[in-house]
Every structure is written in structure tokens, then in C-alpha cells.
């Protein structure tokens, strides 16, 4: 990974505690729009527990579908 990307990641992570406090504040603010409260709650859950897995559906007996794109 490029050094710049590592520096950016480190800088962003240094704001974790503040960001979580802001998200929790929005989630707990009764006057905040419901959509903002839900988004903040989802963000907190995703960061604390990870995003929920997405089931993959399709024909279990069929071969995978391969899509190619040509210009």
C-alpha cells in the first residue's frame, strides 16, 4: 500500500472516538430527522458488529454466470 494511503488511514482513525460520539449524539437527538438517526444507528452497529452478511441466491445446481464486457 502506498505510504500516502497509510497516512490517510492513520489520520482518519485518529478521529474515531470523536466520530463515534457524533454518531451517538445524532442517534440520541430526538429533534434530529428520523433518517439521520437511523443512519447514525446503522453506522454505529456496522462499525461495532460488522455489516450483516448478504445471502447469495441462485440455482444451486447451475454453473456460475460469467459476464464479460467488451468495448
Amino acid at each position: 500500500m502506498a505510504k500516502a494511503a497509510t497516512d490517510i488511514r492513520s489520520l482518519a482513525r485518529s478521529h474515531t472516538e470523536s466520530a463515534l460520539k457524533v454518531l451517538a449524539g445524532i442517534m440520541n437527538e430526538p429533534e434530529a430527522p428520523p433518517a439521520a438517526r437511523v443512519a447514525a444507528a446503522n453506522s454505529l452497529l456496522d462499525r461495532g458488529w460488522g455489516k450483516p452478511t448478504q445471502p447469495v441466491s441462485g440455482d444451486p445446481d447451475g454453473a456460475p454466470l460469467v459476464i464479460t464486457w467488451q468495448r
Side-chain angles (χ1 to χ4, degrees), residues 4-16:
T6 303
D7 292 342
I8 291 169
R9 180 178 293 148
S10 178
L11 179 61
R13 287 180 177 177
S14 73
H15 295 284
T16 299

Side-chain angles (χ1 to χ4, degrees), residues 1-3 11-12 14 17-18 20-22 24-25 35 40 46-47 50-51 53 58-61 66 70:
M1 181 179 314
K3 186 176 189 318
L11 179 61
S14 73
E17 186 175 344
S18 298
L20 290 173
K21 286 180 181 178
V22 168
D46 288 349
R47 280 149 185 83
K51 292 190 180 238
T53 58
D59 182 0
D61 299 323
V66 177
Q70 297 177 352

